[in-house]
Structure formats: C-alpha cells, structure tokens
C-alpha cells in the first residue's frame, strides 16, 4: 500500500503533465497537426551539435572506468573547476571549484539544497507566480512553502508583502529569474531591496535566510535585457542552474549548484550538499553529461528562434484583445484569462485543441501560461484557433 502522502500526490498529479497526456490523446483523435500543445517547457530547438560530438569524443578517447565510474558525490573536479572558471570569466565572480556541485538538473539541485537546509516544520518563502514543483520539493522535507501573493501587472516579486511572511521558521527564499511562468526578469533594484529586507529580517529572527536562485533560463533573454547576477546583489545566495533549457537537454538531467564563498557557513553547506546528493539517491550527476558539459560551457542555444515565436505570439494575441505580459526572458507567455475562472477558459481553449496551462498551478489564478518553446509553424497553424477563442470572449 502506498503512503498517505503519495496518495495525495497521485490525486493531484501535475496539471502540466496531465495536459501533455491529454494532448497525446487529442492527437490520436484529430491528428497531431491539429493539436496546438503549449503546455510543456520542452525546448524545440535541438541541442547544439557540439553536445553530440563531444559525447562521442569522450566515449572514444577517455578511459572507460573514468567515464563510467563513481566519483566524488559533488562531481568531477575538472568539471567543477571549469564551471567555476566559466562563471568567474563571464560574471566577474570568485567561485572556487569546491563551491560547485554538479546536479541532476535544476530539480535535483533544488532538492539537494532543501535537504541540506530544512528541518521538519521549517518554512521556505516564494513569490507567486512560481514553478509549481516547489511545493512538492519543500514538502519532501516536511517543510512548508509560504507563498507571497503576485504583483500584477509588473509581476516583480511582491516585496511589500514579504516582511510579514518571514518567521522564526523561515530558512530560505526561492526566487526564479528569468521567471517561469511570467517571462519577467527581476531587476537589480528588486534584488537590492530584497537583500535589505532579508538583512532586517535576519536581525529580527536571529539566523540566516538563504536565497535559492533558480536560474535555468539565465541565457534565455530578449531585447538586450540583462539578468542581474545574484551574487552582486545578495550575499547569502545559492545558485541552482540547469542545462535543460539553455542547451535543450531536459532529458539528460544535468545542472549545477554554485555556492559563493561569502555565504554564511560555506564549509558546512558544501559538505552538506554533497552528502544530500548521495543520501537522496542521486549519488552524483550523470558522468558522461558532466564531462560533455565541460566541453560545452560556451555553447549557446538559438535564442533567436524563441524570440521569433515570442514576438509573433505576443503581437498576435495582443491584437486579438488578450492581455499579455510582455516576456523579457524564458519561453513563456503569461496571459490574463478573459474570465475570472481561468480553468473554464482553459476548457474552452481545449475545444479549439489549444492546450494552455491554468496558472492556479503556479499560485496565480486568473491567468494562463503559454509555452512558446514550440515549432514556429505550430504557432502559425494555431492562429485560427486563438481567433475563434478571442471571438468567443471579445466578439
Ligand atoms: N525550475 C524552473 C523554474 C523550471 O521551469 C524547471 C523546468 O521547467 C525546473 C526548475 C526543472 O528543470 P530541470 O529540468 O533542470 O530539472
């Protein structure tokens, strides 16, 4: 018999995954070319060719035991060194290799941090709208996710409401920049103000609050927008990074955590993170992927392809009368539902074979998320369906 807590999870299975499955069912009925699936953040741009060539080269040239063997739980030293060097060159930081931990994607990295920081009953704060999986990750360690309400129309974090949410039990705050689901990039001013609030709160509660900065979309930005580098604004931060989106490798499960030396309890943290990687059962990030990443740190995805989708979709939907948040980063368009109950809107969209994600699953009812990391021609083909939807609501 499965546990009570798992029974709950099975019941409330991810809305996004459920939509994805519904899309497959719809495709069987009406043909895949007539289903417009905007549900999942699965990159349509192929991984750079260097990913394949370096993997082949590693398999051909490296010692088999080295490529396929166990290693330090934190990852290969040479890979961690290369990641630290690359960050330092790009952002003028001073990471050292012991502060880099290779992880099983961002999801693995976040779980490793939370396992390291949390005791049962502790609290983690996040800002709505947020990546819905945070709730599950925090519950994994019998802790509570405390959600700060959204801040439309800018969707910068609602800092006015943060202070009241911080209690003696607050151990960490998760931020996600650029943001899924809004596409908003948190500004330097936002991060500086967040730091001031946290300093005050730390004095009040008498212990450190860590900012976990979830950054799988760091390189996916448009119109020359820059993502402020978190360590320049917030001292007690841990960066969670992933190559799932930036190199189109979500199935390979590879990312890293970067811990700056200035953080409170640096040594305790980096030891704890490595052990968490082991005791959670990841043991280490996939070895071949780590070695490939070392060769591909300068590779880039085709941001222009996502930008083309972004511009087309934003303009078309806005022209039709939909109220959209203009995305500056990531590959999601956040759209206000024309009716209060966005789930009803999502059901209407399904009648046109459009799969959109209701944003109540991101803690922000009244909106929907459209993942535009899809093929451009699918967006083009979906236009009559969006038009039919617009007609229903705006006449
Ligand atoms: N964090 C955010 C904000 C995401 O959008 C995602 C995936 O969509 C993840 C974490 C998990 O990414 P990964 O595939 O690296 O585990």
């Amino acid at each position: 018999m499965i546990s009570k807590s798992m029974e709950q999870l099975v019941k409330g299975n991810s809305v996004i995954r459920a939509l994805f499955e519904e899309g497959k069912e719809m495709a069987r009925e009406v043909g895949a070319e007539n289903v417009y699936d905007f549900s999942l953040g699965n990159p349509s741009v192929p991984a750079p060719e260097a990913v394949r060539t370096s993997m082949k080269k590693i398999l051909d040239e490296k010692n088999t035991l080295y490529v396929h063997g166990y290693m330090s739980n934190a990852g290969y030293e040479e890979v961690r060194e290369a990641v630290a060097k690359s960050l330092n060159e790009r952002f003028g930081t001073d990471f050292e290799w012991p502060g880099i931990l290779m992880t099983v994607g961002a999801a693995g990295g976040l779980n490793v941090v939370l396992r390291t920081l949390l005791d049962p009953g502790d609290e983690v704060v996040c800002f709505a709208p947020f990546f819905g999986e945070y709730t599950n990750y925090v519950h994994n360690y019998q802790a509570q996710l405390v959600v700060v309400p959204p801040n439309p129309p800018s969707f910068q974090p609602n800092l006015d409401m943060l202070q009241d949410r911080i209690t003696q039990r607050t151990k960490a705050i998760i931020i996600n920049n650029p943001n899924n689901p809004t596409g908003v990039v948190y500004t330097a001013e936002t991060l500086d103000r967040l730091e001031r609030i946290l300093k005050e709160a730390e004095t009040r509660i008498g212990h450190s609050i860590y900012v976990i900065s979830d950054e799988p979309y760091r390189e996916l930005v448009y119109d020359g927008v820059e993502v402020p580098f978190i360590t320049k604004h917030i001292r007690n931060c841990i960066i969670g990074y992933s190559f799932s989106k930036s190199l189109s490798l979500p199935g390979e499960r590879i990312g890293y955590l970067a811990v700056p030396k200035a953080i409170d309890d640096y040594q305790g943290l980096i030891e704890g993170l490595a052990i968490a990687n082991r005791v959670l059962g990841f043991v280490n990030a996939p070895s071949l992927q780590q070695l490939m990443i070392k060769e591909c740190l300068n590779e880039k995805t085709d941001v222009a392809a996502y930008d083309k989708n972004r511009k087309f979709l934003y303009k078309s939907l806005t022209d039709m009368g939909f109220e959209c948040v203009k995305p500056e980063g990531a590959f999601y368009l956040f759209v206000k539902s024309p009716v209060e109950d966005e789930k009803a809107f999502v059901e209407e969209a399904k009648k046109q074979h459009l799969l959109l994600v209701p944003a109540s699953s991101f803690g922000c009812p009244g909106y929907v998320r459209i993942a535009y990391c899809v093929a451009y021609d699918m967006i083009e083909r979906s236009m009559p369906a969006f038009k039919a939807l617009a007609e229903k609501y705006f006449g």
Side-chain angles (χ1 to χ4, degrees):
M1 203 167 67
I2 65 172
S3 69
K4 296 262 179 302
S5 62
M6 186 48 70
E7 266 177 17
Q8 290 304 316
L9 280 175
V10 171
K11 261 195 220 145
N13 192 15
S14 161
V15 177
I16 303 176
R17 289 274 162 184
L19 269 170
F20 183 64
E21 294 305 324
E22 234 174 295
K24 284 201 291 195
E25 184 57 42
M26 241 183 228
R28 274 191 287 274
E29 281 166 23
V30 298
E33 70 287 359
N34 299 316
V35 178
Y36 316 111
D37 185 351
F38 292 97
S39 62
L40 207 59
N42 209 4
S44 65
V45 169
E49 187 52 28
V51 167
R52 284 154 55 85
T53 48
S54 66
M55 278 202 248
K56 283 188 192 152
K57 190 157 172 277
I58 290 159
L59 290 173
D60 285 344
E61 292 176 8
K62 285 242 188 212
N63 175 306
T64 321
L65 288 178
Y66 186 68
V67 180
H68 299 304
Y70 283 126
M71 76 209 64
S72 155
N73 297 128
Y76 290 108
E77 212 172 292
E78 57 167 310
V79 179
R80 296 157 72 198
E81 253 171 23
V83 169
K85 185 164 172 280
S86 159
L87 286 173
N88 295 343
E89 280 170 8
R90 291 172 58 205
F91 302 110
T93 46
D94 61 351
F95 289 104
E96 291 179 354
W97 69 265
I100 306 293
L101 178 109
M102 302 309 293
T103 63
V104 177
L110 291 169
N111 273 277
V112 162
V113 179
L114 296 171
R115 177 68 181 83
T116 306
L117 293 178
L118 299 178
D119 286 308
D122 280 345
E123 291 169 5
V124 176
V125 177
C126 80
F127 298 97
F130 61 94
F131 178 54
E133 290 294 275
Y134 295 158
T135 312
N136 295 326
Y137 300 165
V138 168
H139 288 173
N140 280 343
Y141 312 103
Q142 289 77 50
Q144 290 307 316
L145 189 72
V146 175
V147 178
V148 179
N151 189 18
S154 76
F155 287 105
Q156 291 287 316
N158 194 338
L159 295 179
D160 291 339
M161 299 189 77
L162 172 62
Q163 194 66 269
D164 287 353
R165 301 285 192 292
I166 298 177
T167 73
Q168 284 296 331
R169 305 290 333 225
T170 307
K171 281 282 183 65
I173 296 196
I174 307 181
I175 61 168
N176 166 222
N177 196 21
N179 186 262
N180 172 10
T182 60
V184 165
V185 173
Y186 295 175
T187 64
E189 293 70 40
T190 295
L191 299 182
D192 287 337
R193 184 160 171 233
L194 174 60
E195 174 76 338
R196 287 197 296 277
I197 294 170
L198 291 181
K199 287 288 145 270
E200 266 176 55
E202 284 177 335
T203 311
R204 172 164 61 86
I205 65 176
H207 63 79
S208 312
I209 302 170
Y210 292 101
V211 173
I212 304 167
S213 186
D214 183 22
E215 304 182 1
Y217 303 97
R218 191 198 293 141
E219 281 79 22
L220 298 180
V221 278
Y222 313 103
D223 296 338
V225 168
E226 276 193 29
V227 183
F229 200 76
I230 185 89
T231 56
K232 308 232 164 96
H233 303 275
I234 293 181
R235 185 176 59 84
N236 265 334
C237 68
I238 301 170
I239 295 170
Y241 187 78
S242 162
F243 296 93
S244 291
K245 318 287 172 168
S246 62
L247 292 185
S248 298
L249 297 170
E252 300 295 355
R253 316 305 306 134
I254 185 72
Y256 62 79
L257 293 169
V259 188
K261 283 182 295 177
I263 201 168
D264 289 345
D265 195 16
Y266 176 69
Q267 199 54 36
L269 268 172
I270 59 177
E271 283 169 24
L273 295 173
I275 290 175
N277 217 16
R278 189 188 88 223
V279 300
L280 287 175
F282 299 125
V283 182
N284 55 252
S287 53
L288 177 60
Q289 301 307 319
Q290 288 192 48
L291 294 168
M292 172 276 290
I293 283 302
K294 181 181 169 222
E295 306 305 319
C296 294
L297 284 169
N298 293 325
E299 291 297 324
K300 292 186 172 61
T301 190
D302 184 5
V303 179
Y306 297 132
D307 195 17
K308 188 174 165 200
N309 292 356
R310 175 185 77 115
K311 286 188 174 128
F312 179 50
L313 200 57
Y314 176 78
K315 180 163 186 336
S316 309
L317 265 57
T318 309
D319 287 350
M320 286 176 205
F322 290 105
E323 205 178 299
C324 308
V325 179
K326 186 154 195 194
E328 299 175 314
F331 40 45
Y332 305 105
L333 184 67
F334 207 51
V335 182
K336 189 157 190 215
S337 164
V339 285
E340 200 179 322
D341 176 8
E342 95 280 9
K343 287 185 181 155
F345 175 57
V346 165
E347 287 309 310
E348 261 329 299
K350 274 186 207 164
K351 291 183 191 159
Q352 304 296 333
H353 306 127
L354 282 168
L355 300 181
L356 319 177
V357 182
S360 41
S361 54
F362 306 109
C364 189
Y367 288 79
V368 296
R369 187 194 77 174
I370 300 181
Y372 59 80
C373 50
V374 294
Y376 185 75
D377 74 285
M378 188 191 94
I379 304 182
E380 279 184 321
R381 281 187 284 111
S382 72
M383 284 301 122
F386 275 114
K387 274 197 192 116
L389 200 57
E391 236 146 68
K392 168 151 179 61
Y393 291 102
F394 311 124

